[in-house]
Amino acid sequence: MPTAKTILAIFLSVSITSFGPALAHEPVQTAAVSIDDVQAEAAEAASVVDAFHAALEHGEAAAALALLADDVLIFEGGGAERSKAEYAQHHLAADAAFSAAVPSIQSRRLARAGADIAWVATESRTTGEFNGGPIDSLSAETMVLRHEADGWRITHIHWSSHAAR
């Protein structure tokens, strides 16, 4: 019987090929209207992603952490945090401060789900000022979620961004 990691790898491989060609192009400037393609089965998982961001924006660290699996893996800026505890000790406070100070506008979202696994891919533009400097960046985020006994939990986050052109 395949392991959960094998099933996840297969699910992500098949799912990513459905929008892979779009990833090869230059980033498109953020549209005024958000484009969403959220599969009905993935709507609840996408709501968890939104709740995670809302908790960060409001400085609600406990609420944000409650949406993460204990074994969450977070990739950002070429680094990794390999658990909820590690994220709480290192980048949670900085992520919350940044999210509270600089608004982000979602431009695209694609979400898919199976029986107990989902992924949500979001593109956004973040503009404002942080620590005395201007911010104008385009961001891509992928979150993988697992359905647990008490609901969806984020098991993987991959964040990347670059200056808007």
Side-chain angles (χ1 to χ4, degrees):
M1 173 171 261
T3 67
K5 287 183 181 179
T6 302
I7 293 170
L8 172 61
I10 293 168
F11 179 80
L12 288 174
S13 297
V14 171
S15 298
I16 289 172
T17 59
S18 69
F19 72 95
L23 298 176
H25 299 284
E26 284 294 314
V28 177
Q29 291 297 326
T30 304
V33 177
S34 179
I35 300 169
D36 288 342
D37 182 3
V38 176
Q39 179 186 43
E41 295 83 356
E44 190 177 329
S47 293
V48 169
V49 170
D50 292 337
F52 176 78
H53 284 292
L56 287 179
E57 290 168 16
H58 293 99
E60 298 168 352
L65 290 172
L67 298 171
L68 300 176
D70 289 339
D71 61 345
V72 67
L73 174 62
I74 301 171
F75 289 159
E76 180 178 18
E81 292 171 319
R82 293 175 176 79
S83 70
K84 181 193 311 193
E86 188 175 345
Y87 178 63
Q89 291 176 341
H90 295 118
H91 287 109
L92 174 62
D95 288 349
F98 184 83
S99 294
V102 187
S104 184
I105 306 292
Q106 180 179 305
S107 58
R108 292 181 182 265
R109 172 168 280 172
L110 182 62
R112 298 289 183 265
D116 60 357
I117 191 121
W119 58 266
V120 180
T122 307
E123 296 172 59
S124 60
R125 185 169 193 162
T126 304
T127 56
E129 188 174 306
F130 186 68
N131 287 340
I135 302 292
D136 186 2
S137 64
L138 299 175
S139 298
E141 166 189 276
T142 304
M143 292 202 188
V144 178
L145 298 91
R146 176 177 59 227
H147 196 266
E148 298 181 350
D150 57 347
W152 290 100
R153 292 295 174 266
I154 299 165
T155 61
H156 176 61
I157 301 172
H158 191 167
W159 284 313
S160 65
S161 61
H162 64 83
R165 295 179 230 162

